Amino acid sequence: MFLSEIRVVLSGVSESGNVGAVCRAMKNMGLSQLHLIPAHPLSLDTIRQRAVNANDIWENSRIFNSLEEAIADCSIVVGTTCRRGHKRKSISMTPHDLARWLAESQGLAAIVFGNERTGLETEELELCNFASHIPVSQACPSLNLSHAVQIYAYEFFMAMEKQRPVKGEWTPMNQAEIDSLTGKITDELADIGFYKKPNRDYQTRFLHDVIARAGLAEREGRYLGDIIVKAGRLGAGH
């Protein structure tokens, strides 16, 4: 993966100054893609003042109404959070380990940061494939948003700055394609009576995350879906 394939996503961002500071942190480390889902209208003057020499990052950013829209074309989606609990992901990497893993991966990756005060909500984290956390002292575990982005951006820069794109590389499935394949698999399982208990939602999230981490190409995903459909027909005695 290359720096040009890393997207910073600010979900529920509320402070215009933080957005400007994030733009500067990104440009410092060679990142260029910024997507936002603001909690309310932002102050353009404040953003430009804080961005300093990184106003081009802001000018080229995109604003969305939902996190789903902001990550739909991504192959990998990482939610940043220090909180644990039921439905809050069992796999979490430090920024350093994440950067090393992404450097060996392919496709477009979104790194999602939550609201400055509350962080990522459970529903937002469920849209991610796995989590990442910054190890900090429990005496003061909360980081400023732009500081958190800077830490990740630095690790990405150190892991990927020497890489160059290679023509003809395959591209993993994006989130919309993964959603479609996951639905296809669970639909077939439902048709053969697999879900005797109400656990389809859990298995859907599980399959979605596993498929994303596998980095399947679109053709591979389509082939896997065809296998599942055929197996379902055989299981139904057709």
Side-chain angles (χ1 to χ4, degrees), residues 156-176:
F156 296 151
F157 183 77
M158 294 301 292
M160 305 175 196
E161 64 169 334
K162 295 182 180 180
Q163 297 191 58
R164 295 292 182 270
V166 177
K167 291 184 178 180
E169 287 189 329
W170 59 274
T171 301
M173 300 168 66
N174 60 39
Q175 296 299 299

Side-chain angles (χ1 to χ4, degrees), residues 5 73 75 106-108 168-174 177 215-220:
E5 296 172 311
D73 60 339
S75 299
Q106 287 83 31
L108 181 61
E169 287 189 329
W170 59 274
T171 301
M173 300 168 66
N174 60 39
E177 292 165 341
L216 299 179
E218 191 278 332
R219 184 173 63 178
E220 293 172 321

